Amino acid sequence: MSFLTHRLASSITRARAFLLATLVAFQCGCARDHETMAAPGASITVAHGIRALVVAPLEDVPVETTSAPAGARLVVSDGDGRVYIDAPAAGTISLRARGSLGRHQLRLLDRDGRELARAAFELDAHTRVRTAGGALDDFIARTQSEIAATAHNVFMDGKSVRCYVGWLRDDTHVLEATRFFEPDLESLPEAFIDHQRDDGMVYDLFSEGRQLDPHDGRWLPFNGRLATWGPAYAGFSADRRQRFERVPVEADVEYLLVEDVFNVWQATGDDAWMRRALPACEKALDYVMGSPLRWSSAHGLVKRGFTIDTWDFQNQAVALAHPRGNRNPGGSWDIMWIDQDTPMCIMHGDNTGMFQACRQMATMCSRLGQDVSATQWAAKAEALMANLDRWCWNGSFYTHQVHLDPIPGDFGADESRVLSLSNAYALNRGIAQAKAVSIIREYQARREETKDESFAEWFTIHPSFSGGPGTGFAYARGDYMNGGVTTIVAGELARGAFTHGFESYGVDILRRVAALQERDGRIHAVYHPSKRQPDWKPETCVAVDLRASANRGFVGEAPDGWTGEGVNDLREFPVGDQEFLGHSFSVIDPAGNGGHAALMLRGGRLTDLPEAVTVPVGRSARSIYVLQACTASTRGKAVATYELTYADGTSSSRQLWDDAHISNWWGMTDHGETRVAWRGTNPTSAVVGIGCFGWNNPQPDKEVASITFRSMGNGVPIILGVSVSDQSVQWPWGWISGGIPDNWAAAAVYAAAIEGLAGISDGAAAFEIAEIAPRWSALGEDHAEVIARYGASRGYVAYRWSLDAAAQRLVVGFCGAGRRYRFHLLLPPGARGTGAQLDGKAIAWRDSVVETSTYVDCEASDAAGGELVVTYSTP
C-alpha cells in the first residue's frame, strides 16, 4: 500500500468508526410491483471521513448496497452526468471518486435498468500538493497563502474589481499563481479593456483618482511625483474614483493584456467572455506594431528607451543624448518620458512577450473558428521570432538592449555580457529548445562566476550598471533592478529548467527559495547579492576592553543581573568574538569576569551605578561603534554623552537622545545613527534587542586616548561593546532590497512548483486537455498527490503518482474535468521505457529525450480518469 493510499485508508477507517451517512435511500414506486423486484429495503449507503458528503478527486469512498436483487448494478455518474462506474452491486466496495466536479449520482438499478435506490456525494477540489517525504509541501502551500493574502477589491464604475496590485503588469504576472485559486479573474482585465484608449494603447495601472489642479492644470501628485505626461497618458474611470496612467517608456503593456486575457480564458473556459475581449487584444497589438514610438519597422521588432530590461526608468545618459534633454510636457527632464527624439533600443523581453501574445491570439482565434485570423497571428509570431533571433541573439543568450540610436558614455558594464531578467521569461514563452538550454547554462555559469559575491545567480541584470548622475541608472549596483537578486528570475528559471531537461537544477532553485522563505518569514521579490553593498570598504575593527568597567550581568536572576527585573533580561545575548552589522566586537563572557558583562550608568531606580565611566582606547580611529541600549529613559531627552579625549588633551563629544540615537532594549528599532544589531527573546518578552551606534570621529588623525560614557540622568545608558574602526561609519544594507510587490515573485515560484515540478499544464481551456508531467523523482520523492483546480471554473486535474524502483514501474492514477490527458513521465536516470498500460490494457507510448532526461509519452482520451502503469528498464 502506498503512502498516500495508506493515509486515505486510515482516514476512512476512522470515518467508519464515527461517521456513517446515508444520503438517500428510497424505493422506486413503479418498481414495487415488478416481478423481479427484490426485498423492498434496497438502499445505497455512502460513508466518508473528515468532511461528510464532500470528497476530493481520487479519494476512496466506501459504498454499501443492501438488499440488491440478483443482476442489480451500481451506476455512478460525475457532475456532468458521465458514467464512470457501471458494475455489479456487490455489497461494499471502495469507490474512487473522479470525473467532473459537482454532484455525483449513485444509482442502484435492477437487471432491467429500473432504479431501486439513489445516493449522492459532492466532488470538490482545491489546489494542493502532498508528497510522501513532504520536502516542499509546506513551502508550496505557504507560498500560495502569501499570495492570496494580498488580494483586495477596488470599487470602480459601479462594480468591484479584484486585484492583487492594481498594475496590469504585476497582476498579469501574479495570475501565474492566482488562477489556481482565485474565483474572480475577469474583473481586472475588463477594467483595463473598458478604459483602453481609442488608438489601442493600454494603461499601465490605476490608483485612487485625482482631479486636475485648478491653479495650473497639472495633475496632482501621484506616487510622490507630478505626473506631467499629459492627457495622452492619463485618464479616469467614469465615476472619477480611479485614475488610469501609462508610463510612457513602457513597451510591454499591450502584450501583457493579451497574456492576461488568454490566461483568464484558459482558467474560466469562458469562450463567450474571451470572444468579447479579443477585439481589444487585437487593437492593442496593432497599436504597438503601428506606432512609430513603439515599433521599429526596419527591424520588425518592438522598441523602447534605454531601460533596465522591462523596467520603467531610463539611464540618465538619455538626457544628454536627447536634443531637448528628454523633457516631458511639464518641461522637466523625465527618465520615464519618450518622444520621437528619445534614443531608442530593442529589448528582447518586449519581443518574446509579443511573440507569445501573437501565438496566444492564434490559439484564441482558432478556438472561435476564426481560422484566417489565427493563421495571420501565427505568421506574425514566426516573423517576430526570426527578427528577434537575427538582431538580439548573441550566441549564448538574448542581448539586453540593442541600441538603435547612439548614446554616448561609459555605462560601467560590458553590454555584450549583460544578462537580463527577461532571458528567464523567454524560457517559458516558447523559444527553441537549443536557445533555452543555452540560457540555462549561462545562468549556471554566472552562478559559478559570482559565487564569491552573490548568494544566487538570479540577477535582475548582470553585470550591473554604474549608478548616479550622468551615465548611470538611479540605483546603486546590486540594488533593486540594477543587479539585485530576484525570485522572479528564480521562479521563471526553475520552471524553464524543469521543462527543458534540467530537472535537478529546477529542484535546486526551489530548495534555495524555500530556505529564503524559512529564513525571512516570506518570499521577497528582490534581495541584495550579499549583506554588504559592493562598495563596502574593508575595515579593521579593534575592540575596546570593557572588562574592568563592566558592572552588570545578562541574567536578571543573578546578583547584579541586568536591570534587576528578574527573568526579564538579556540572557540570550551572544558572548565572545561577534560580528554585528558587519563590524567585529568582543562581548564579555560574564562567567569569566565575575558575572559582569555590560556597563550600565546611573539612572531611574538604579541609583547605585556610576554616573560616568572612562575607558582607555590608545589608538587612532575614523569611527567608533557602540553596542548599546537604555532603559527607564525619558522620551525626548538626552540620555547619555559620549566624549572622546585625544592624546593631545583635546576632546570631542556627542549627546545621545532617546529614540533619536539610543532606544530601549524593548522595542528596538533603527533610528538616526543607530541600527538594530541583535534581537532575541527572554521568558517574559518575545522581542528584546540591542542597537549599534556609529559615530564618525571629528578628529580622525589624532590618537584617541580614552572614551567617557556619561549618563544625563534621563534613563539608564547600557554599553555592551565598543570597537574603533579605520573606516568611516558604514552600515550594511542587509539582504532585502525592494521596489516591486513580493506577490509577483512568489507567483513565479509557485508556477514553477505547480507547472514545473508537479508538471500540471493546460492544453486547451478549463483542463479540457490536461498535461501531466510529474518530476518528483528529481526531488527524491517516490509518492505524490497533486490537485490543480482553477478557482474561476470547475476545471481541474488530479493525479497520484508513485515510483516503484524495485519493480521498475511508474503508476499514475488520474482524473479531471476534461476528456483527454497527455502524459510526459520522467524516468529515472539512464532508464528507457518498456511498456504502458491504461486500466490494464496496453496503449501506445514512446520514449522522448529532453537533453539527458528520458520521458515516456502517451495519451488517454474519453476518460473521467483511470490508472496508467509505465514500465521501464535500466542498464
Side-chain angles (χ1 to χ4, degrees):
M1 181 179 292
S2 72
F3 164 79
L4 294 168
T5 304
H6 177 75
R7 177 187 294 176
L8 291 169
S10 298
S11 173
I12 292 166
T13 300
R14 292 193 304 271
R16 285 172 174 160
F18 67 86
L19 181 60
L20 187 64
T22 301
L23 301 181
V24 182
F26 67 93
Q27 303 293 330
C28 293
C30 61
R32 284 196 179 100
D33 297 329
H34 194 274
E35 61 182 4
T36 61
M37 179 64 188
S43 65
I44 304 173
T45 302
V46 177
H48 183 54
I50 297 170
R51 293 184 61 200
L53 315 185
V54 180
V55 301
L58 298 178
E59 192 161 352
D60 293 322
V61 182
V63 175
E64 183 179 3
T65 56
T66 57
S67 302
R73 303 187 67 79
L74 176 66
V75 177
V76 184
S77 56
D78 68 9
D80 287 334
R82 293 184 298 176
V83 173
Y84 64 92
I85 291 179
D86 186 345
T92 300
I93 66 167
S94 183
L95 179 157
R96 178 157 292 182
R98 56 189 187 270
S100 300
L101 302 181
R103 191 171 179 82
H104 284 220
Q105 299 284 350
L106 297 84
R107 296 186 299 149
L108 182 61
L109 306 178
D110 68 13
R111 69 177 60 191
D112 295 323
R114 284 172 288 200
E115 190 172 284
L116 304 176
R118 179 181 296 184
F121 62 82
E122 192 77 16
L123 184 68
D124 198 11
H126 302 280
T127 301
R128 72 183 188 199
V129 171
R130 294 175 180 170
T131 58
L136 293 177
D137 295 11
D138 289 346
F139 165 65
I140 295 169
R142 187 173 177 180
T143 302
Q144 177 177 320
S145 179
E146 289 176 19
I147 299 165
T150 63
H152 59 280
N153 288 354
V154 173
F155 189 74
M156 182 192 311
D157 295 341
K159 62 181 181 181
S160 179
V161 177
R162 185 72 161 175
C163 57
Y164 285 74
V165 182
W167 290 61
L168 177 62
R169 170 182 304 96
D170 304 45
D171 277 281
T172 297
H173 291 308
V174 175
L175 184 60
E176 288 186 5
T178 56
R179 57 184 173 155
F180 290 110
F181 53 83
E182 171 60 52
D184 177 8
L185 300 177
E186 296 177 346
S187 60
L188 184 122
E190 285 175 359
F192 283 97
I193 288 172
D194 288 346
H195 296 86
Q196 185 177 20
R197 208 168 66 179
D198 289 343
D199 65 356
M201 191 201 80
V202 179
Y203 287 114
D204 234 346
L205 68 147
F206 57 78
S207 64
E208 184 181 354
R210 292 288 187 269
Q211 301 288 338
L212 291 176
D213 188 318
H215 300 291
D216 62 10
R218 292 159 66 97
W219 294 115
L220 289 172
F222 167 72
N223 279 1
R225 67 177 184 270
L226 285 175
T228 55
W229 300 323
Y233 293 105
F236 288 94
S237 59
D239 60 9
R240 308 292 287 184
R241 288 178 177 270
Q242 298 295 324
R243 173 181 171 159
F244 283 82
E245 192 162 1
R246 168 67 173 260
V247 179
V249 73
E250 292 289 20
D252 58 356
V253 188
E254 284 71 28
Y255 84 69
L256 286 164
L257 176 67
V258 177
E259 181 179 335
D260 199 343
V261 167
F262 180 86
N263 287 336
V264 170
W265 162 66
Q266 198 168 55
T268 61
D270 190 341
D271 290 354
W273 182 87
M274 182 263 283
R275 184 188 296 273
R276 293 193 299 271
L278 203 58
C281 295
E282 182 172 4
K283 189 163 68 171
L285 297 189
D286 286 346
Y287 159 76
V288 175
M289 294 179 177
S291 170
L293 277 182
R294 311 286 181 202
W295 186 255
S296 170
S297 298
H299 301 82
L301 294 169
V302 183
K303 65 181 181 179
R304 64 160 59 213
F306 182 26
T307 65
I308 290 182
D309 200 87
T310 194
W311 255 252
D312 56 6
F313 52 90
Q314 296 174 87
N315 192 290
Q316 296 173 77
V318 169
L320 303 178
H322 192 284
R324 293 177 303 283
N326 211 58
R327 297 186 179 277
N328 60 38
S332 61
W333 175 71
D334 198 326
I335 58 174
M336 297 181 175
W337 175 258
I338 58 169
D339 60 20
Q340 66 274 12
D341 294 318
T342 299
M344 303 299 281
C345 306
I346 292 172
M347 198 282 286
H348 61 99
D350 296 329
N351 291 284
T352 57
M354 281 290 286
F355 166 72
Q356 175 183 259
C358 289
R359 295 179 73 186
Q360 290 169 335
M361 289 292 292
T363 298
M364 291 188 287
C365 288
S366 179
R367 173 77 169 206
L368 299 177
Q370 300 173 5
D371 294 338
V372 173
S373 293
T375 300
Q376 291 172 343
W377 283 114
K380 289 179 181 179
E382 294 309 309
L384 269 162
M385 183 53 67
N387 292 335
L388 180 63
D389 288 346
R390 175 186 177 189
W391 294 106
C392 298
W393 184 254
N394 67 11
S396 298
F397 54 89
Y398 287 111
T399 301
H400 172 228
Q401 294 278 17
V402 175
H403 293 277
L404 303 182
D405 303 300
I407 305 178
D410 178 5
F411 307 120
D414 179 356
E415 288 196 86
S416 69
R417 293 200 70 242
V418 171
L419 177 69
S420 72
L421 170 146
S422 285
N423 275 282
Y425 271 113
L427 299 173
N428 305 304
R429 288 175 172 169
I431 66 171
Q433 171 72 10
K435 288 183 169 58
V437 168
S438 182
I439 290 170
I440 292 169
R441 288 180 174 155
E442 184 66 33
Y443 274 103
Q444 291 177 320
R446 299 293 172 108
R447 181 183 185 182
E448 180 65 22
E449 176 187 336
T450 62
K451 63 184 179 182
D452 295 331
E453 61 191 64
S454 177
F455 74 93
E457 69 278 21
W458 318 318
F459 297 105
T460 53
I461 200 94
H462 182 268
S464 57
F465 294 99
S466 56
T471 57
F473 286 97
Y475 295 89
R477 292 183 185 272
D479 193 25
Y480 185 44
M481 290 301 124
N482 192 21
V485 173
T486 176
T487 42
I488 295 173
V489 168
E492 295 296 330
L493 182 57
R495 182 152 59 115
F498 282 121
T499 57
H500 292 291
F502 292 77
E503 297 84 2
S504 295
Y505 185 43
V507 165
D508 171 65
I509 293 171
L510 291 184
R511 286 188 185 276
R512 286 188 279 155
V513 176
L516 292 177
Q517 185 188 65
E518 185 65 26
R519 184 193 72 185
D520 300 329
R522 62 189 175 95
I523 296 173
H524 290 275
V526 190
Y527 296 79
H528 296 129
S530 69
K531 290 193 293 185
R532 298 181 186 179
Q533 43 271 56
D535 60 356
W536 180 274
K537 296 178 177 60
E539 67 176 357
T540 298
C541 267
V542 178
V544 175
D545 190 350
L546 298 178
R547 286 176 295 179
S549 304
N551 53 22
R552 307 293 286 188
F554 292 144
V555 179
E557 298 159 296
D560 298 332
W562 197 235
T563 55
E565 302 173 62
V567 297
N568 182 27
D569 57 21
L570 210 68
R571 64 184 61 204
E572 291 186 358
F573 194 69
V575 300
D577 293 336
Q578 301 290 335
E579 182 179 294
F580 298 101
L581 298 172
H583 310 294
S584 58
F585 292 87
S586 181
V587 178
I588 300 167
D589 185 347
N593 196 48
H596 295 157
L599 167 60
M600 293 192 189
L601 302 176
R602 184 183 304 166
R605 61 186 178 81
L606 299 179
T607 57
D608 60 335
L609 298 176
E611 178 184 344
V613 169
T614 298
V615 179
V617 177
R619 62 187 311 116
S620 62
R622 300 197 69 83
S623 61
I624 297 91
Y625 295 97
V626 182
L627 294 176
Q628 63 175 31
C630 65
T631 189
S633 57
T634 304
R635 188 173 296 277
K637 297 282 188 178
V639 175
T641 295
Y642 295 170
E643 183 177 18
L644 301 178
T645 300
Y646 303 103
D648 65 0
T650 60
S651 64
S652 300
S653 63
R654 287 291 307 273
Q655 278 194 343
L656 279 69
W657 291 67
D658 178 66
D659 278 345
H661 310 101
I662 191 170
S663 65
N664 198 297
W665 59 285
W666 274 40
M668 178 65 62
T669 59
D670 290 346
H671 46 274
E673 294 155 270
T674 297
R675 301 290 185 273
V676 175
W678 175 87
R679 283 195 176 102
T681 65
N682 66 37
T684 64
S685 177
V687 181
V688 294
I690 293 297
C692 183
F693 171 67
W695 176 18
N696 281 320
N697 181 3
Q699 301 186 60
D701 297 328
K702 294 183 178 182
E703 179 182 325
V704 179
S706 63
I707 180 169
T708 298
F709 302 98
R710 185 181 308 278
S711 173
M712 302 300 291
N714 297 311
V716 179
I718 306 170
I719 295 91
L720 287 80
V722 180
S723 282
V724 295
S725 170
D726 61 353
Q727 298 291 347
S728 299
V729 170
Q730 53 187 351
W731 301 114
W733 54 11
W735 286 116
I736 311 303
S737 182
I740 58 173
D742 293 333
N743 57 9
W744 174 350
V749 173
Y750 184 83
I754 298 298
E755 298 186 44
L757 178 59
I760 295 290
S761 56
D762 195 338
F767 286 120
E768 295 168 356
I769 302 174
E771 300 179 347
I772 301 174
R775 300 179 176 93
W776 297 107
S777 57
L779 185 62
E781 294 282 4
D782 56 14
H783 293 82
E785 175 187 320
V786 174
I787 301 174
R789 161 81 188 274
Y790 289 138
S793 70
R794 295 164 63 215
Y796 87 97
V797 61
Y799 70 77
R800 288 181 185 173
W801 168 93
S802 64
L803 167 65
D804 187 338
Q808 295 194 320
R809 69 174 194 164
L810 295 171
V811 179
V812 184
F814 64 94
C815 68
R819 294 179 178 271
R820 187 176 176 187
Y821 305 83
R822 296 172 180 162
F823 297 94
H824 186 55
L825 304 179
L826 178 65
L827 297 180
R832 292 291 183 268
T834 59
Q837 290 188 335
L838 178 62
D839 294 331
K841 297 180 180 180
I843 61 171
W845 62 277
R846 67 181 181 89
D847 276 349
S848 62
V849 178
V850 185
E851 295 310 299
T852 60
S853 302
T854 301
Y855 290 78
V856 165
D857 293 346
C858 51
E859 293 191 9
S861 300
D862 296 323
E867 183 174 85
L868 175 65
V869 177
V870 168
T871 56
Y872 62 87
S873 64
T874 53

